[in-house]
Amino acid sequence: MQPHEPRPAFHPWFELDVDADVALMTRTDAPFADLAEVERVHLDLLEALEEIDVPCLLTDLRAAPGRNDPGFERVLAPIRERIYAAFERRAVVVRSAIGRLQVQRHAEQDGIDMRVFLDPDEARRWLRSG
């Protein structure tokens, strides 16, 4: 994105960068005000991701505020499935072993094949190796 372009509706919660073969979706530390905002922002992000024509998605969740309340999980689950289904290879970077377990649980529940890493460079190498 060029600096002069209007900011997408998923900012300030997410940054999205794309190179030749990997889309990088980075979650910032900005909190959501409520569940309606969670849904709106993620649907806007999904729309942007569905327009990208690259095979790999790297999601960086290291800055994300921890959250796993039932309402959040209920709103996010169907959107999360659609986000990851749009890509052939998927990797997620988290900051802790607990975060890794949570993302692996989501992937299993969603039936999505993805790898979870603590190191973004390792994740990017894995994505490009396949």
Side-chain angles (χ1 to χ4, degrees), residues 30-86:
F32 293 106
D34 53 37
L35 293 177
E37 187 171 73
V38 169
E39 184 173 39
R40 179 186 56 77
V41 167
H42 281 85
L43 287 171
D44 290 340
L45 179 63
L46 173 62
E47 185 177 306
L49 287 167
E50 287 177 335
E51 294 176 4
I52 295 171
D53 188 24
V54 296
C56 302
L57 176 63
L58 176 56
T59 304
D60 187 340
L61 298 176
R62 291 175 295 166
R67 186 166 178 177
N68 65 352
D69 55 275
F72 181 79
E73 299 274 349
R74 184 181 64 254
V75 166
L76 201 53
I79 301 168
R80 185 181 60 233
E81 287 180 54
R82 290 177 56 198
I83 286 173
Y84 290 108

